[in-house]
Each structure stands twice: as structure tokens, then as C-alpha cells.
Amino acid sequence: MNTPVSTYAESALFTDLTYHFTDRFDIQLGGRSSWLKQSYAQTDTGAYVGLALMAESPLVTPKSFANENAFTYLVTPRLKLSDDLMLYARLASGYRAGGINQTIAPDTPRVFGPDETQNYELGVKGRALDRRVSFDASVYRIDWKDIQIALADPASGQGYFVNGNRGKSEGMELSMEVVLAEGLHIGSWVAWNDAVLSTAMPANSTAYGAAGSRLPYSSRWSANASLDYRFPVLGVTG
């Protein structure tokens, strides 16, 4: 039997503001500072401890701690070429907290670190044909470092996380909505994405990955189409 005791606490300060240089040009600035604290301990009892872990029961794992401080930001300049056409750019950072591995396998790390991203995007938004057609097109790049990777201990089968090397994701997105008639809308989007490892996994890593290998669960192409009809029910419109 496994009896875990864990805590997770996060506090944050964040703000954003938009400054309008002219009626056509503005910049949005945002920032967030977070403080995260985690702890984890567990007690294992029963025959499993001796058979799988080759230890005496009860097996008490000392409490582990993980404390982190993170700062993320957002910068978005926007230029309105007309009332129906706008260019924009976005520079932002992302952060995913690390944590404590809930395993007592002897050769696995007790804690794993955060992974972080730098995000770049250029795009255009607009409306056409008497505003019956709206569209949003963009190109982007994401630089990802210290990627969190899920592994398994070969002896006990217990899962745990480690930090890998760097990756990147580059792509393009296009979305569009067309008003065919009053209440009748057709929408669609398509995206192309190239997500790969920027640097190979270390030679002593139990996870293999060469530079240029595609990141798991990343699709090169994805798309969606929808048709909606909105109509009043009992005289109430949504």
C-alpha cells in the first residue's frame, strides 16, 4: 500500500496594460511573477516493497521539496491599416512548473525542473465582403528548452519525469469564418506545424532522440471545419 502526502502552493502577481500611440497603433505589455512551493513524502507497506523494491516494509521516503520563482511576459504591437485590417506581432514567454517525482526507485531523480518557451508570432486579421468574411493568418516559432520527458524505471515500472534538451516548433495557421445567411455561419481553420528536437538527447539518457527528430504527439497538418445555424427559441436569441 502506498500512502502519499503532498502539498502544492502558488502565489502570483500579474498585470497588463495597453498604450495607444495613435488611433491606429498600440502596444500591449504584460508580466506575471509566480512563486511555487511543493512537497512530497510517501510510505510504502506490504509485500510489494520486498518483491519489487527489495526493501523492508514499511519503507518511508523522506519528504522532498521543490521551490521555484518564474517570470513571464507578453509584448504585442498592433497596427490598424484600416477599420477592417490589422497587422500584429507577439513576443511572449511561457513557463511550466517542475515538480517532485512520486517514485522511490533508487536511480531516479527526486525532482525535475521547469521547462520554458520563447514564443514569436506575426499575423494579420481582417474582414472583407461587407464584413461577411473574417480571417486570421499567422506564422510563428516557439523555442522550447529543458523539455519535461516522462520515463519509466525498468526495474519497478514506476514512472518519473526528467528534463531533456531543446526543441522548436515552427508553423503557420489560417482561420476563416463566412456568414452565408442570417444566422448561418461556416468556419474553418488549417495549421501546419514542424516540431522537432533542436539538440539531441544526451548520450547517457535512457530516452533516445536525435537532433531533427519530431516531437511526440505533434501533427504536421491539422484542420477543422464547422457549420453553425443560430436561431431564436421562444423569442430569445443568444
Side-chain angles (χ1 to χ4, degrees), residues 103-142:
T103 175
I104 54 177
D107 296 328
T108 59
R110 289 299 297 153
V111 298
F112 58 95
D115 52 3
E116 303 176 36
T117 62
Q118 292 288 336
N119 313 303
Y120 313 89
E121 183 178 357
L122 290 173
V124 56
K125 293 183 179 182
R127 295 173 293 189
L129 300 179
D130 198 25
R131 300 189 175 182
R132 300 180 70 86
V133 176
S134 59
F135 59 89
D136 185 349
S138 64
V139 295
Y140 65 86
R141 176 186 172 103
I142 301 173

Side-chain angles (χ1 to χ4, degrees), residues 5-16:
V5 178
S6 64
T7 63
Y8 181 94
E10 178 179 358
S11 56
L13 293 174
F14 56 91
T15 187
D16 67 83

Side-chain angles (χ1 to χ4, degrees), residues 78-183:
R78 299 180 297 185
L79 176 62
K80 295 181 180 179
L81 300 178
S82 68
D83 290 341
D84 294 321
L85 187 63
M86 179 182 72
L87 300 176
Y88 70 90
R90 181 174 293 115
L91 172 63
S93 62
Y95 180 92
R96 179 168 57 173
I100 303 170
N101 284 314
Q102 300 178 14
T103 175
I104 54 177
D107 296 328
T108 59
R110 289 299 297 153
V111 298
F112 58 95
D115 52 3
E116 303 176 36
T117 62
Q118 292 288 336
N119 313 303
Y120 313 89
E121 183 178 357
L122 290 173
V124 56
K125 293 183 179 182
R127 295 173 293 189
L129 300 179
D130 198 25
R131 300 189 175 182
R132 300 180 70 86
V133 176
S134 59
F135 59 89
D136 185 349
S138 64
V139 295
Y140 65 86
R141 176 186 172 103
I142 301 173
D143 291 322
W144 192 3
K145 72 174 184 177
D146 300 326
I147 302 173
Q148 293 177 7
I149 301 173
L151 300 178
D153 179 69
S156 65
Q158 292 183 311
Y160 64 97
F161 288 90
V162 296
N163 292 96
N165 280 342
R166 293 177 176 267
K168 67 176 181 178
S169 177
E170 299 174 323
M172 299 179 290
E173 296 179 343
L174 172 64
S175 63
M176 183 174 295
E177 183 178 75
V178 180
V179 181
L180 300 176
E182 183 67 28

Side-chain angles (χ1 to χ4, degrees), residues 166-218:
R166 293 177 176 267
K168 67 176 181 178
S169 177
E170 299 174 323
M172 299 179 290
E173 296 179 343
L174 172 64
S175 63
M176 183 174 295
E177 183 178 75
V178 180
V179 181
L180 300 176
E182 183 67 28
L184 183 61
H185 300 249
I186 184 171
S188 64
W189 58 261
V190 61
W192 174 81
N193 178 47
D194 183 31
V196 300
L197 281 174
S198 302
T199 54
M201 297 294 294
N204 60 350
S205 173
T206 57
Y208 173 78
S213 298
R214 287 190 60 79
L215 295 179
Y217 312 114
S218 62

Side-chain angles (χ1 to χ4, degrees), residues 15-19 21 26-31 73-77:
T15 187
D16 67 83
L17 61 90
T18 301
Y19 186 82
F21 290 88
D26 61 64
I27 294 182
Q28 180 187 21
L29 302 174
Y73 63 87
L74 169 70
V75 180
T76 305

